[in-house]
Amino acid sequence: MPTVEVNGGDIVYEILGTTGQLIVLTPGGRYSKDFRGVRPLADALVAGGHRVLLWDRPNCGASDVQFFGPTESHMRAESLYGLLRALDTGPVVLAGGSSGARDSMITTLLYPDMVTELILWNIVGGVPGLFNLGAYYVLPNLIALRGKGIESLLELPEWQERIEQNPKNRDRLLALDRAELNRVLLRWLDAYVPKPGQTIPGVPDDLFADITIPTLIIRGGKDDPDHPKRTSLEVHCLIEGSTLIEPPWPEDAWERSFEARARGEDVGGFDTWVLAAPAILDFIAG
């Protein structure tokens, strides 16, 4: 896969299709561009006449590990901007789910001239959702640092996966300064503490008035604790003129996938994303 160096780290990317508007498709979590459910949606968008940029964000897939910025999503926004500039591409459509939605929103806020349309789904928010993010993505690293220092990061399954996909990440992790990494991680953790006036972690609500491009929001599930309905409604209210639609997948799709994985079934949380393709294509065409 081709790579581009951005902010001192290599970003792995892939462009599908040869004609049409370029859509940057960003998955959730710290999952890679090849995580199940992502490519079927990309293929459907290509079949609809567009090009799709898939990329492994820093700390995802085969890209390099990196730690900087006010939040991890701000770091990813900087990386995406650098990637797009390196590819010499014009304004693009940003489409993302879960943390990919957060990354896309922050990229739009930081680099509005680079985005023509914004498409969001599975937006994380609420007390359970934000606490889960901090507990899953940040606290294990802080606990490891406090115990045995930088070397203990190599024992965490998440970074073992990054090293397996990109062996040079081992040296990149070991080269980190313990005090500076601790400082960055505490800053990232603080962003996940729910605060008045911050629907999206690390982003003051008033900044959303700066998003003036066409925006499509797929509503969250009514009982989804990680991507609550309320958060998608709040973002819809914050982005004036945005379009809110009902989810094209079952109302409890996320809960079903979570329960199925707990039973050991081969189910992915993004498997239903391909069902959003018709709505995305219609929105771009409109």
Side-chain angles (χ1 to χ4, degrees):
M1 288 295 170
T3 63
V4 167
E5 182 178 338
V6 179
N7 294 320
D10 286 341
I11 302 295
V12 176
Y13 72 93
E14 180 180 2
I15 297 179
L16 309 180
T18 57
T19 61
Q21 174 70 41
L22 183 62
I23 303 170
V24 179
L25 178 58
T26 305
R30 283 188 181 148
Y31 294 109
S32 79
K33 62 182 179 57
D34 297 313
F35 189 72
R36 58 179 296 168
V38 179
R39 193 168 294 268
L41 174 56
D43 289 340
L45 297 177
V46 170
H50 299 283
R51 294 174 295 145
V52 175
L53 170 64
L54 298 175
W55 63 304
D56 280 348
R57 298 160 289 167
N59 304 336
C60 302
S63 288
D64 286 350
V65 294
Q66 291 183 287
F67 300 88
F68 64 87
T71 71
E72 192 164 14
S73 285
H74 284 80
M75 177 182 71
R76 293 166 176 166
E78 285 192 42
S79 299
L80 178 57
Y81 175 71
L83 174 61
L84 294 175
R85 290 293 300 270
L87 297 177
D88 194 26
T89 184
V92 299
V93 177
L94 294 186
S98 198
S99 70
R102 187 166 61 256
D103 300 347
S104 299
M105 285 184 275
I106 293 177
T107 303
T108 302
L109 288 168
L110 293 178
Y111 309 105
D113 293 341
M114 295 297 291
V115 189
T116 58
E117 289 97 19
L118 179 61
I119 301 168
L120 312 167
W121 62 92
N122 283 18
I123 304 174
V124 178
V127 173
L130 296 185
F131 274 30
N132 280 336
L133 289 177
Y136 191 81
Y137 292 113
V138 184
L139 280 178
N141 294 277
L142 285 170
I143 294 170
L145 280 178
R146 186 173 63 186
K148 294 191 293 184
I150 290 292
E151 292 79 6
S152 63
L153 296 179
L154 304 182
E155 301 173 8
L156 298 178
E158 182 171 25
W159 303 126
Q160 289 176 352
E161 292 177 1
R162 300 290 71 75
I163 293 169
E164 182 179 348
Q165 292 188 268
N166 178 357
K168 68 177 179 177
N169 275 330
R170 184 180 191 278
D171 290 337
R172 290 184 65 86
L173 287 168
L174 291 175
L176 293 170
D177 179 79
R178 179 176 183 174
E180 178 59 23
L181 178 59
N182 188 75
R183 180 182 178 187
V184 171
L185 291 175
L186 286 174
R187 186 165 64 237
W188 288 6
L189 180 63
D190 179 69
Y192 292 133
V193 177
K195 300 175 181 64
Q198 282 195 15
T199 302
I200 301 303
V203 183
D205 284 347
D206 68 285
L207 294 183
F208 282 93
D210 295 333
I211 298 180
T212 58
I213 59 172
T215 300
L216 175 67
I217 300 169
I218 300 175
R219 177 180 65 74
K222 68 180 183 66
D223 294 320
D224 185 339
D226 297 313
H227 320 99
K229 175 180 178 180
R230 172 178 173 174
T231 299
S232 56
L233 296 176
E234 289 175 339
V235 173
H236 172 50
C237 292
L238 291 169
I239 302 178
E240 186 173 356
S242 60
T243 299
L244 180 76
I245 64 171
E246 296 293 289
W249 37 72
E251 190 77 38
D252 60 348
W254 182 253
E255 295 94 306
R256 287 187 192 178
S257 68
F258 192 88
E259 293 167 358
R261 290 195 301 275
R263 293 192 298 267
E265 298 178 18
D266 184 21
V267 174
F270 306 157
D271 287 350
T272 58
W273 282 12
V274 66
L275 299 176
I280 294 173
L281 293 170
D282 286 348
F283 184 76
I284 295 173

